[in-house]
Amino acid sequence: MTKRSGPVRQDNRIKTLMHVTPQDRLFVLTGAGISAESGLATFRGSGGLWNGYRVEQVATPEAWAADPELVWHFYSQRRRNAISAQPNAGHIALAKIEHQLGDRFYLCTQNVDELHEQAGSQRIHHMHGNLFQSRCTRCNQPFSDTALYETAATLPTCDRCGSPVRPHIVWFGEIPLDMDAIYRKLERATVLLVVGTSGSVYPAAGLVHIANQQGTRTIYIGPEEPLNHEAFDEILLGTATELLPALVP
Ligand code: APR
């Protein structure tokens, strides 16, 4: 397999590059960038701060232990933003590709919003949790929850045991959900398509290295190179809504 010589804008090459034969299995990894054009801010880069905090300061077990009100305030605000967001042409394109490929398609997202599902995606795994679920810190059972908890007086507790309830989100320092299933799916993939992630958070950023070791074709789509750009066979510079619709068969 030849490595790319350097990133160039090559929208018109996308169909050729992404040609998926009946033998191919497509593994898609998405990050915050795919929801950017739906109005949801990415974590890093411009607009990546929340009230002057870096996400690392509010999305950790340490932050939760020190100030659960601050943490719930952050996730309540994200719930509010995500509730009014609509899937964009990038989400919709991936759902259409899944419709064509069926079980030969798998979508792993680092995003905690539900825009992929709203666009029609079904074979989807949220490796970093779900913004619209919470769980008791003791019983650990996730449940649907769209409520906003923005003051100390409204912080939720478990109906059964009275323990604090936290967002069902994988924080920095915690292990993403069901990594075994992700590795099993990646093992069978012949193409890895990564969309809109900065390649700075592991283990997600390491999936491309595993794909390389097993000879899986690797392609990145986003407006700028990710940190792990050297690992990709191809990089297509452009936004999710500019480039993904061209892939729909
Ligand atoms: N289309 C595609 N990609 C885009 C777009 C767009 N319209 N706009 C921005 N991007 C790209 C940026 O170039 C950047 O590389 O999206 C990426 C967003 O990077 P991050 O903000 O770091 O988001 P992500 O990589 O998903 O973060 C990983 O970190 O904070 C934690 O758990 C959180 O899941 C998150 C993880």
Side-chain angles (χ1 to χ4, degrees), residues 4-10 224-226 229 234-237:
R4 69 196 163 81
S5 52
V8 285
R9 185 173 278 280
Q10 40 194 352
E224 59 207 351
E225 289 194 328
H229 63 97
E234 299 286 347
I235 292 198
L236 297 163
L237 293 180

Side-chain angles (χ1 to χ4, degrees), residues 30-37 41-45 55-56 59 78 110-112 128 169-170 172 195-201 220-226 238-241:
T30 60
I34 195 163
S35 295
E37 289 164 281
T42 59
F43 298 102
R44 296 166 188 86
V55 67
E56 289 83 352
R78 291 186 61 194
Q110 297 169 83
N111 298 347
V112 295
H128 290 168
I169 300 283
V170 177
F172 288 91
V195 184
T197 170
S198 57
S200 52
V201 175
Y220 179 82
I221 286 181
E224 59 207 351
E225 289 194 328
T239 72
T241 68

Side-chain angles (χ1 to χ4, degrees), residues 155-198:
L155 292 190
T157 51
C158 179
D159 290 344
R160 275 189 279 172
C161 72
S163 300
V165 164
R166 60 168 274 180
H168 184 48
I169 300 283
V170 177
W171 287 327
F172 288 91
E174 297 182 327
I175 298 168
L177 306 175
D178 214 352
M179 284 306 296
D180 285 350
I182 295 171
Y183 292 137
R184 274 199 306 276
K185 291 287 184 185
L186 184 58
E187 203 178 318
R188 301 187 66 200
T190 56
V191 181
L192 169 67
L193 172 65
V194 178
V195 184
T197 170
S198 57

Side-chain angles (χ1 to χ4, degrees), residues 43 50 55 58-60 64 68-82 112 128 130-134 146-150 166-172:
F43 298 102
W50 176 74
V55 67
V58 279
T60 63
W64 172 253
E69 187 184 342
L70 177 78
V71 173
W72 262 123
H73 191 180
F74 173 63
Y75 286 102
S76 296
Q77 194 161 319
R78 291 186 61 194
R79 279 183 179 177
R80 187 184 279 112
N81 294 342
V112 295
H128 290 168
N130 188 312
L131 185 57
F132 297 107
Q133 290 183 357
S134 301
T146 55
L148 308 179
Y149 308 110
E150 292 177 306
R166 60 168 274 180
H168 184 48
I169 300 283
V170 177
W171 287 327
F172 288 91

